[in-house]
Amino acid sequence: MNNDFKDLRIVDNFYQTSAFFPMPLTLIGTLDENGNTSFGAYSLVFPYYIAGKDFYAMVLECRNTSNTAKGILKYGKCSINFLPYSKKNFKEHVRLGFPGDTREEKMKDFKFHLSDGMSANNNSNEKYPKIINEALQVFECSWVSSLDNASDDPILDDYSDFEYHDFNGITSKYGAHFILKIDHILMKEKYYDAIINGVNRNNFCPVPTNFGYRDSKYFWCSNYKKPNKQDVLDKEVDLTSIKYAANRADDVVKFSDDALMMLTKVPRPFLKMALNGCVKWAKEHNVVLITEKEMKIINDKRSKEKKK
């Protein structure tokens, strides 16, 4: 082994005690027993289902006796709020991340302003966690409790004698994992426009990064700086091989050459998936020949939003 490296002992919470591990910085809102929203600070929240499923999902890892875990176990809902970096905001994240505080203690001097999200607007007969107005973006989520047979998990103060799940619900003596279906992604207008019309260095969403490492005295977080960009490798797949794959994609739906030319930059491992997606769209719209015109519609995933 290269002598530049040392073998560091792996201990509990290794991502922040035995490593430097960049993660998001979020405030997660859940409902308390009175239907009010309270917030906890979390970084162990990551994309889970990103493609090929009927829905998209995040996974949240948290202490199973936390206010957040109790809120999700009882109501099955949460809001994931991403805030801009400032020393004031970071200080509030740290305060809200302190374990053991009651909901009342956490929310007594809460620094941000709250409002209803899209879920509440769409369903006024049901309670949903509120969202933070100062957030850059918010994921409104619902817990997929049916996975791993976690729907009957109780709220307890001690899970020492519990039959733990593998990946969803109560997963260990101290921990819980929640697979969270993304119901809505809410975005501030500036960054919504950036995604729809084109992201650049000046309109890139300034989301801070938690460095992961902490000791007994400090949390560490990175200030936001303008991102650097690097062109994606511009490799083209040979049109002949695309034709070969396209002719076998479906017995009815076919592709014109000008349509297939628009797929030459799709990496080979994703070509079959791209063709199948085109075929699915064609059948949904009663199209038997996909031309350049149809490909432009398919490729524009946000065409409906642009029309709005």
Side-chain angles (χ1 to χ4, degrees):
M1 186 181 79
N2 188 319
N3 288 332
D4 289 344
F5 292 97
K6 300 294 182 184
D7 187 13
L8 188 63
R9 187 167 65 97
I10 304 171
V11 298
D12 287 353
N13 295 324
F14 66 89
Y15 64 93
Q16 63 182 16
T17 55
S18 302
F20 301 95
F21 195 82
M23 298 177 292
L25 195 66
T26 72
L27 292 179
I28 296 186
T30 53
L31 295 173
D32 65 17
E33 62 274 8
N34 297 315
N36 298 316
T37 305
S38 65
F39 288 87
Y42 286 92
S43 286
L44 292 175
V45 53
F46 309 100
Y48 192 74
Y49 289 151
I50 62 169
K53 287 283 190 179
D54 294 333
F55 60 93
Y56 303 99
M58 303 288 285
V59 59
L60 166 67
E61 304 171 43
C62 63
R63 184 168 46 84
N64 56 28
T65 57
S66 66
N67 296 326
T68 300
K70 291 176 181 178
I72 295 176
L73 286 170
K74 185 168 184 175
Y75 295 102
K77 305 164 189 169
C78 71
S79 65
I80 305 174
N81 300 262
F82 298 80
L83 277 82
Y85 178 84
S86 71
K87 289 184 178 180
K88 177 182 176 182
N89 287 356
F90 184 44
K91 184 177 181 180
E92 184 70 344
H93 276 82
V94 173
R95 184 185 74 83
L96 292 168
F98 191 83
D101 283 353
T102 65
R103 294 178 176 91
E104 292 74 20
E105 289 170 332
K106 285 181 178 292
M107 298 304 293
K108 180 181 178 182
D109 297 313
F110 191 66
K111 305 298 184 186
F112 305 113
H113 301 88
L114 304 179
S115 63
D116 288 333
M118 185 65 69
S119 296
N121 289 339
N122 291 346
N123 188 359
S124 59
N125 296 322
E126 196 168 338
K127 291 284 289 185
Y128 292 89
K130 291 186 179 294
I131 66 173
I132 298 176
N133 292 345
E134 291 84 352
L136 300 169
Q137 63 180 10
V138 181
F139 292 5
E140 291 191 288
C141 299
S142 53
W143 179 36
V144 191
S145 60
S146 59
L147 293 174
D148 208 8
N149 298 314
S151 56
D152 294 328
D153 283 6
I155 298 174
L156 303 175
D157 292 326
D158 188 342
Y159 289 94
S160 298
D161 298 321
F162 194 78
E163 187 174 345
Y164 308 121
H165 300 290
D166 291 323
F167 63 89
N168 192 34
I170 307 301
T171 51
S172 71
K173 182 177 180 180
Y174 303 113
H177 288 65
F178 295 106
I179 309 304
L180 303 170
K181 175 179 176 290
I182 302 175
D183 299 314
H184 301 285
I185 294 180
L186 308 179
M187 187 83 58
K188 282 293 174 65
E189 184 175 4
K190 176 180 178 179
Y191 308 112
Y192 172 96
D193 290 341
I195 287 180
I196 297 302
N197 300 314
V199 175
N200 57 53
R201 289 191 68 197
N202 295 319
N203 62 16
F204 200 96
C205 191
V207 179
T209 301
N210 174 1
F211 276 129
Y213 176 78
R214 64 159 294 188
D215 52 29
S216 60
K217 192 174 181 180
Y218 298 113
F219 276 95
W220 297 84
C221 183
S222 67
N223 195 350
Y224 175 79
K225 295 182 179 179
K226 286 188 176 181
N228 293 312
K229 63 180 181 180
Q230 176 62 47
D231 291 343
V232 177
L233 290 177
D234 191 12
K235 292 185 177 181
E236 293 191 358
V237 179
D238 179 65
L239 182 60
T240 302
S241 62
I242 296 179
K243 280 186 178 181
Y244 181 85
N247 289 335
R248 287 156 179 76
D250 190 76
D251 294 335
V252 176
V253 177
K254 299 301 176 183
F255 295 78
S256 67
D257 284 357
D258 58 359
L260 294 178
M261 283 297 297
M262 298 177 69
L263 294 173
T264 57
K265 293 186 179 181
V266 175
R268 192 178 300 275
F270 304 121
L271 180 58
K272 182 178 179 181
M273 181 173 66
L275 289 168
N276 289 341
C278 293
V279 169
K280 180 181 177 182
W281 179 91
K283 290 186 174 181
E284 289 173 350
H285 294 81
N286 298 316
V287 172
V288 294
L289 177 64
I290 298 177
T291 67
E292 182 180 10
K293 174 185 175 182
E294 286 75 27
M295 284 297 294
K296 287 180 179 178
I297 297 173
I298 295 169
N299 287 340
D300 187 2
K301 297 179 181 179
R302 302 177 181 88
S303 59
K304 291 183 180 179
E305 292 188 66
K306 286 185 176 180
K307 289 177 183 178
K308 290 180 182 179

